Amino acid sequence: MGVGGLVLIGLLVLVVGGCACVVWAARGGPRWARGVAAVTLTAGELLRSAPRPRPGSRGGGG
């Protein structure tokens, strides 16, 4: 497994852990879980509001 695969696995672990903290915080988890949940929700909002590339357009031209 290459470095890219390890990066993807690490990203997946962070996403799943963040989602777990959101659920745990909603059920009254510890303060650190609420902090992680807040960061996770903020990151999700930022990703959702990020501009999306137009369908059919590709970079590079030419």
Side-chain angles (χ1 to χ4, degrees), residues 15-53:
V15 168
V16 170
C19 291
C21 282
V22 168
V23 172
W24 193 12
R27 295 175 177 254
R31 181 177 295 174
W32 66 265
R34 291 192 292 266
V36 173
V39 169
T40 302
L41 292 173
T42 301
E45 287 296 322
L46 289 174
L47 287 174
R48 202 173 355 166
S49 66
R52 302 211 192 287

